[in-house]
């Protein structure tokens, strides 16, 4: 017998709407996608710092951190990458129910996987931010030497070298993180959050 037939969803009396009201802002998944070295995590943490200073409930999900625990059993094949994103999407959905602004920094190279995240959390709850940085600059920023190893064939399935990256066709925001200043990028992300009604107030630029 399928064990799922014996499982039901328990509906809490404290709803997401009540949590959002207590927090003073809407929950949202802000999804930063781009090549390794494009500045996704740096930007996500900088945005969190600004939101935290505004009194917002936030959490950053980082690709490396998630693979230390929740997804430690997965590799980097296309199939494992898809499963990695699926698990993250389910986890993010729970954080949205908690009323949190989830800042998700993942290469997430396949458009179909990102679309599945959007569908799971809901179109109105998902902002796709493309950290658009030339591969050459990403390689220059490569403090771990992973691109060099990938070029030498020592790492397989490395995005941008031996594995594809499908850039967003219609992101909610595209940032040229290879040349734009970090705080300018932060300001643009915050302005989108304001425009979408996630946070309130006048322009949040520095």
């Amino acid at each position: 017998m399928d064990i799922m037939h014996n499982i039901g969803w328990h509906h809490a009396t404290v709803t997401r709407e009540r949590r959002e009201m207590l927090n003073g802002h809407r929950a949202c998944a802000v999804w930063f996608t781009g090549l390794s070295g494009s500045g996704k995590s740096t930007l996500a943490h900088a945005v969190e710092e600004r939101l935290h200073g505004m009194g917002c409930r936030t959490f950053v999900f980082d690709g490396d951190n998630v693979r230390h625990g929740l997804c430690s059993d997965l590799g980097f094949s296309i199939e494992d990458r898809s499963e990695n994103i699926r698990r993250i999407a389910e986890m993010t959905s729970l954080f949205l129910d908690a009323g949190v602004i989830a800042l998700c920094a993942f290469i997430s190279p396949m458009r179909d996987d990102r679309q599945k995240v959007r569908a799971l959390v809901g179109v109105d709850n998902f902002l796709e931010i493309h950290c658009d940085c030339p591969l050459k600059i990403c390689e220059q920023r490569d403090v771990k030497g992973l691109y060099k190893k990938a070029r030498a064939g020592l790492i397989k399935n490395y995005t941008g070298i031996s594995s594809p990256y499908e850039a967003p066709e219609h992101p909610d925001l595209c940032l040229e993180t290879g040349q734009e200043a970090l705080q300018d990028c932060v300001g643009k992300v915050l302005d989108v959050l304001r425009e979408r009604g996630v946070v309130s107030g006048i322009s949040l630029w520095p």
Side-chain angles (χ1 to χ4, degrees), residues 13 32 45 53 72 88 92 95 138 143 156 193 201:
T13 56
F32 300 89
H45 283 285
S72 60
I88 292 162
T92 299
F95 270 69
C138 291
V143 295
K156 297 181 179 180
L193 290 174

Side-chain angles (χ1 to χ4, degrees), residues 178-195:
Q179 61 185 44
E180 292 188 67
L182 175 60
Q183 290 306 315
D184 288 344
C185 291
V186 170
K188 290 181 180 181
V189 173
L190 292 175
D191 273 347
V192 171
L193 290 174
R194 175 181 54 82
E195 291 164 4

